[in-house]
Amino acid sequence: MHLSELLQVQDIGERNQLLRKTLAAYTDVVDVTGCELQLLIIAINLTLPKKDVDDLLDRALARLLLKNQEHLQHCVDEVQWFHSHNVKYPDSRVKEQRIIAQVKKPVDGVLSSPNLPQAFGWSHNSSQVNPAKFFAVRFNWQNRETSLLEVVLDNVAEWQAVFSTLGMTRKQLSDVRATLSDHHASNQLPSEVSDYSKQIRVPYLGDYYALTPVISHSVQAQIQKMAFNRKVRTANIEHSHPANVGSLVASLGGNIRVLNYQPNVTQKTSESFAEYRYGSTKSVFDHSVIKDKRFLQALSRIAGERSAPMLRQRRQLRVSALRFVRKQLALWLAPMMEWRDSIEANALHSRPIETLEEQLLYLPIDNLPDALSDLNAHFHQALQYHRLGGRYAFHPEIIHPIKQQLKWLLNYIANQEDPAVECQSNCVFLHLQQLKVHDASLLSNPYVSGIPSLTALGGLMHNYQRKLCALLGSECSIKRGAWFIAQYHRQAGKKLPEPDKVRYRKKASNVQHPGIVDGVYGDLTMDLVLELQLPESASIPDLMLLQAAFPSRFAGGTLHPPSLFELTNWLSVYPTQSELFSVLSRLPRSGCWIYPDDKGANSFEELAVRLDSELDLKPIGLGFLPLEKPQVRAGSVAPFHCYAEPCIGVIRCMNPINVRLSGSKQFYQSAFWHFDIANNAMLMKKAI
């Protein structure tokens, strides 16, 4: 959009509203080439409260404001509180601190400030939020994104002429430039850590240092732009005193948007599928799968509709569609697989086999492929009752490919025994079942909500390792871990903090609550698989000891094992991978595994496209990128401290049925995480 388009709006009130919105940090930058004078007039008029400006294009008012040395000095002085990373977010009680720094280079597959042009926000005294707007307004000029601060510092001739047009002499502009140069340092970090800044202890080279995460203004503004253009799904985080937090939060009225993608966890009844179905007519097949829009699009590809012009493209699309159909057919069969597992586990006697359902449930496992023809016919019969899918039922181009995919699934179920694979020397797998987490923070980092941060998983693994070493009296290590979310509940409302502030210090008084810092909280039920490496020739520790060492915190919430009425032996030890996988493969289909994604995202545009097209892909907090080398800093909880920027990664929510069909080898190669510190990044990464 070009500024000239907005200037053509005749209604002054509507034009003012459009100009304020267009020049705000949460919208895409506007091109002002050729309209430099109008941009300068608007920018200086924005420094007054809205009620004091009738028309943002009032040239006479702009001249008066630029000639008013006291007002102009306020605008110039606020530049010393510009930041690249907002140290006052989300807690505005942090005082007299700012950060100007930049991560040197982007990390492959991870999104952070190096993936965007550097931009500056403002946070300081809330009464000066309007004067701070003058030099902070960003725009496109001659195909380059810039701001008034940058064009003044760069001494651009065209902009000198514009300032001169509004009555500012070259001497005055030179003095302003000198002051701005002093205020706007290329690198600025606080000399001490505020009592209100969060600190995280991070293991490093056998010791620990403290890390304070600080949010990038450019990344936060980019997420607001994506939300404003409806490219991503977002949730709202409220701030009761927005001007105290910063200019971006103030421009949005305290309503900051964060990416909001919840895990693919469905509501699960307390009983098994077999008990749930008993006495009802619920089908043993999940027919909601074949009604999915993407499934019908895949059938359309297989049928040859909307084919690509090139033969190679047609083949690629057909192969992709067949793979997707196989995954969906596995979900269609999932209730049957779950019911059959419960029959085998409870050693129930078989019934007379008459119907298709009874064939799938009670036929000997080796004879399961015998039901292929009936199963294929049943699929097409179910499809023909769907309003949009009916035309693909018994379609000559579809009936054989569907039969082949069903044949593969039945053959796999009939021959799914994995060879016994021993763990590495002195390694065992721990399976912790039905762990309960209450009041976990679902803000993965200040940019993302939905799934708790993966660094919470890394912290839990490290904490467990420390406690085990202390109880065992010898060194052991948690090499890697896998995470399964069985149940998920997002809480409504806000958390009221505990009273901790005395109203009057020198006499008896009430204790007040601190200001509410909004968050997103929830309750989880989850399973963990941890690979434990023991010392050479050491025996497997007693189960009671392994249970006693387990941490009681996860993602800021309370973590505890299931009640004795639900499960007594909630921690199990497995020496072989196959024995463990036979248990994991039967986890309920209502949950999901949190898998690493091999590709990641290297731009915010790519992230939006992938999140829209791949529904099992979710954004998450993967870790931190340091803004400096660790150094001694007052107020730190460790000998060394550094400020770091949280980053955005992506994970896959894998359905247990697809994990089961992929086999144990794929699971042990793809499902595990470990915390890695390398190349100036502290990230949770795929562990093999």
Side-chain angles (χ1 to χ4, degrees), residues 658-672:
N658 291 325
V659 171
R660 177 176 182 170
L661 296 176
S662 298
S664 63
K665 182 178 179 182
Q666 179 71 17
F667 173 77
Y668 289 106
Q669 287 181 346
S670 304
F672 284 80

Side-chain angles (χ1 to χ4, degrees), residues 89 224 236-257 494 518:
Y89 187 96
Q224 310 313 306
N236 187 51
I237 302 295
E238 295 182 0
H239 296 269
S240 54
H241 301 287
N244 292 334
V245 181
S247 56
L248 177 60
V249 182
S251 66
L252 289 162
N255 297 295
I256 283 288
R257 309 302 295 184
K494 299 182 180 181
D518 199 6

